[in-house]
Amino acid sequence: MPEKKKSRLILFRRTVQGGMLLLLGQWSFYGVFRCPFAVPFLNCQSCPVITCSGRITSLFWGFWLSLPIIGLLFGRAFCGWGCPGGLLSQLSAKVAPFKLAGKNAFNRFAPYGKYLALLTALVLWLVLNNPRWAIPIRIGEFMNSIHLTFEHANTAWLIRSLTVLAFLAAGLIFSNLWCRIACPTGGLLELFRRPVLFSFYTTEQCNNCNACQGACDMGTRPAESNCTNCGDCQSACPRDAIQFGRPNSK
Amino acid sequence: MVTRSNSTNGQRRDFLKTAGAAMLASAVPWNQARARTSEFAGQSLQVWSCGGLAEAFMQANQLYEERTGTTISYTGAFAAALGKSLLANGRTEVFAGRVLELAQKLRSAGKMVFFNPLCFTQYVMITPKGNPAGINTIQDLARPGVKVVLAPDASPPGGAAVLKLLEKTGVKDAALANTVVQGSCVQEIMTSVIDGTGDVAVVEKRLTRIPNFQGQTEVVPLPDNQQPPPPLPFTIGMMEDAQNPDLARDYIAFILSEQGQACFEQQGFIPALSAKGQELVEKLGVKDA
């Protein structure tokens, strides 16, 4: 892939990610640090926290309704192109010494953690009616509100939030750990990997040299488990065997 | 706006001449404070309040900031949680909490310098638009087939106060039998009634004034004798940690002035300054002894 085309793709993706950060960044931040509910982003229509942008009903419903459509069209592209948490993970991955790209039992089974997280979130939401685990700090100063939320949250909320933060922090050591093995939204979008309409895929030119896997922060190959359709792999292929389009048209 | 009938104004004048002097003993009267507003320009004041008062305080704070050039750093959250923080190591300069006992506890712990009555909450019934189940009185919650929405696990006093109200009016058992939603949050009650899942719920009137919900339900008032027992009052007080006591007093005086109190009335509360508010001050003994 020509260098110019590669840098254009990266610039385009970073621009999209920047825009999505502006749109969803605050909401994501509140979800981790200040959402009083067991599963964030699901009760925005009745959340008492005034200053969170998730209270904008159109954004709240628009987001969740658009995810399956995005999933069907582009698989986990939201993770690679739109998710603020994904952007944070990708930036952390740049310094992470361990890429977790080899073939071993951990890399084979750990990604199933996403589905466990998804199942847990669904049970909390649909069976337990997404209980409120923290005192909502309706409005307040940035650090003060976070401090108060943690101070008055119950144990379950603390476990939930500290687990997310621990996984994100671990991303500085193990590349994209949260996105790969723990994110329930990632687990949901992963379900669309097979019926996906458009994605990066390998052509018959591929000789399985795994150069793409080495270039991938998610430690995967095009159209395989955990591929977020970011396109970083395309320029790494020495045989130009990675294309974007209908995988079944190869 | 705060009620301004002749009789009310008369009562208010009488009150301000007598009990009002005590009520505002520690605060600078707002008309005097206005002449000194410039001295607070550029300063900041940290204010904490019960979360239920957030919308009213946001409005009042904006007015105060515009008038004085002061920055109000405001936090609104569950009063018991904030109170717990303040009784431990939390610090703020002005605190407006629900529950008289909390203010008294802060006073006796030496954390609060003084407090004044601020406003009172009141409960109403809400129904979906058009009131399809024909709800007129609290007894209608006991009618067979009426779908009642409750939030027994909501943060105090939300759930408990409503259950006490139902008990007080003798409809608790029948209303519980009619319950179709048992939520954990008073705001969820609003959405359950708005979307027609339930026919009726009893909520604090303030909830019907929140922008997300305003105008989306019918509001059926409840008479005074059907209101639940306390905690109905909110107080506002200056904390020991106030960096500039003059500024804190001036701010409190503004919040207790007609202009400040109007913000609270607009958000569904009974202002302490109003005739009904004064009645409740006396009845419930909301005084800094």
Side-chain angles (χ1 to χ4, degrees):
Chain A
M1 184 183 188
E3 202 61 33
K4 200 173 174 183
K5 195 176 172 185
K6 172 193 168 185
S7 59
R8 272 210 308 266
L9 179 65
I10 290 171
L11 179 66
F12 179 50
R13 186 158 71 94
R14 294 297 183 218
T15 305
V16 172
Q17 286 180 305
M20 292 301 283
L21 183 66
L22 287 175
L23 186 68
L24 300 177
Q26 192 221 55
W27 196 25
S28 302
F29 172 86
Y30 272 73
V32 176
F33 290 99
R34 290 191 48 191
C35 180
F37 294 96
V39 185
F41 317 124
L42 295 175
N43 282 63
C44 301
Q45 79 280 20
S46 61
C47 180
V49 180
I50 293 171
T51 44
C52 177
S53 60
R55 290 166 55 90
I56 304 166
T57 309
S58 57
L59 171 63
F60 164 71
W61 287 115
F63 172 76
W64 286 111
L65 292 173
S66 67
L67 268 191
I69 298 165
I70 293 169
L72 195 60
L73 287 171
F74 306 111
R76 282 188 69 176
F78 172 74
C79 307
W81 291 71
C83 176
L87 175 60
L88 183 68
S89 288
Q90 287 161 38
L91 295 175
S92 301
K94 300 298 173 201
V95 298
F98 301 103
K99 300 295 178 188
L100 301 179
K103 284 197 171 185
N104 54 49
F106 178 84
N107 288 345
R108 186 178 168 194
F109 294 110
Y112 287 101
K114 294 192 301 288
Y115 302 115
L116 184 64
L118 176 63
L119 184 66
T120 305
L122 288 172
V123 169
L124 284 167
W125 179 34
L126 300 172
V127 180
L128 300 177
N129 201 23
N130 206 12
R132 222 170 73 177
W133 282 347
I135 299 294
I137 308 303
R138 297 197 69 208
I139 178 169
E141 295 160 309
F142 185 80
M143 291 308 294
N144 191 31
S145 297
I146 294 172
H147 173 79
L148 286 166
T149 304
F150 274 81
E151 185 181 12
H152 297 292
N154 68 19
T155 308
W157 190 92
L158 290 172
I159 291 169
R160 177 269 262 184
S161 302
L162 293 172
T163 301
V164 174
L165 291 173
F167 268 102
L168 288 171
L172 290 164
I173 301 165
F174 304 103
S175 173
N176 276 39
L177 198 68
W178 166 257
C179 307
R180 294 163 75 169
I181 71 171
C183 179
T185 308
L188 174 73
L189 290 168
E190 192 72 43
L191 300 175
F192 292 93
R193 184 165 57 87
R194 295 204 186 278
V196 68
L197 292 173
F198 304 101
S199 72
F200 284 94
Y201 63 92
T202 52
T203 66
E204 290 168 351
Q205 298 297 312
C206 174
N207 63 352
N208 293 313
C209 71
N210 284 337
C212 51
Q213 195 169 21
C216 178
D217 288 332
M218 296 287 278
T220 188
R221 291 157 39 109
E224 292 185 5
S225 172
N226 273 336
C227 172
T228 62
N229 274 325
C230 68
D232 283 355
C233 55
Q234 199 174 21
S235 58
C237 181
R239 297 169 67 99
D240 202 18
I242 298 172
Q243 300 295 323
F244 180 78
R246 297 288 303 274
N248 57 0
S249 66
K250 62 186 173 181
Chain B
M1 288 299 291
V2 174
T3 309
R4 300 188 66 175
S5 66
N6 288 339
S7 63
T8 303
N9 282 339
Q11 286 176 24
R12 186 180 303 153
R13 272 195 300 273
D14 290 345
F15 170 77
L16 288 172
K17 283 176 187 170
T18 52
M23 172 181 159
L24 297 175
S26 313
V28 177
W30 178 242
N31 59 351
Q32 286 178 30
R34 256 186 305 187
R36 304 188 295 103
T37 52
S38 59
E39 77 181 74
F40 302 124
Q43 295 188 38
S44 68
L45 181 72
Q46 192 174 59
V47 177
W48 285 12
S49 94
C50 173
L53 299 170
E55 283 82 5
F57 263 107
M58 285 160 68
Q59 201 179 335
N61 289 344
Q62 191 180 342
L63 288 172
Y64 188 77
E65 286 177 333
E66 284 168 3
R67 295 184 69 140
T68 62
T70 309
T71 302
I72 304 296
S73 300
Y74 173 63
T75 296
F78 182 42
L82 294 182
K84 193 176 165 186
S85 290
L86 291 170
L87 285 164
N89 300 314
R91 296 164 75 97
T92 191
E93 296 178 284
V94 171
F95 178 59
R98 193 197 286 263
V99 185
L100 175 61
E101 288 73 18
L102 177 56
Q104 290 168 336
K105 206 180 281 187
L106 288 164
R107 283 279 283 122
S108 57
K111 302 272 184 178
M112 188 181 264
V113 180
F114 69 87
F115 70 81
N116 301 125
L118 168 62
C119 62
F120 298 85
T121 194
Q122 54 191 320
Y123 287 79
V124 295
M125 293 186 292
I126 55 162
T127 75
K129 291 298 277 183
N131 194 354
I135 304 294
N136 295 309
T137 69
I138 195 75
Q139 276 66 38
D140 289 329
L141 274 70
R143 248 198 293 132
V146 168
K147 293 176 287 182
V148 177
V149 177
L150 290 174
D153 301 325
S155 305
V162 172
L163 289 176
K164 282 177 188 170
L165 184 150
L166 297 176
E167 194 171 358
K168 183 180 171 182
T169 50
V171 298
K172 185 180 171 184
D173 292 342
L176 285 173
N178 281 342
T179 302
V180 292
V181 175
Q182 296 223 17
S184 60
C185 169
V186 290
Q187 300 219 15
E188 284 173 5
I189 291 180
M190 298 300 295
T191 51
S192 295
V193 172
I194 289 166
D195 67 19
T197 304
D199 294 322
V200 61
V202 178
V203 297
E204 284 182 277
K205 190 178 177 183
R206 69 175 179 89
L207 290 163
T208 69
R209 302 292 175 88
I210 288 177
N212 276 7
F213 306 134
Q214 192 159 16
Q216 295 193 59
T217 61
E218 304 294 344
V219 178
V220 184
L222 285 166
D224 289 351
N225 64 0
Q226 290 183 357
Q227 294 293 321
L232 297 176
F234 294 87
T235 60
I236 183 165
M238 185 175 89
M239 304 300 288
E240 191 63 48
D241 288 319
Q243 300 297 299
N244 183 344
D246 284 345
L247 171 57
R249 288 173 195 275
D250 185 74
Y251 172 80
I252 290 169
F254 171 74
I255 295 296
L256 296 175
S257 72
E258 277 207 34
Q259 196 183 4
Q261 291 275 280
C263 301
F264 292 84
E265 183 171 64
Q266 202 177 323
Q267 293 301 330
F269 298 98
I270 301 165
L273 194 64
S274 67
K276 195 173 178 184
Q278 288 310 308
E279 202 180 295
L280 288 166
V281 166
E282 296 301 321
K283 183 181 167 185
L284 301 172
V286 190
K287 291 175 182 176
D288 188 2

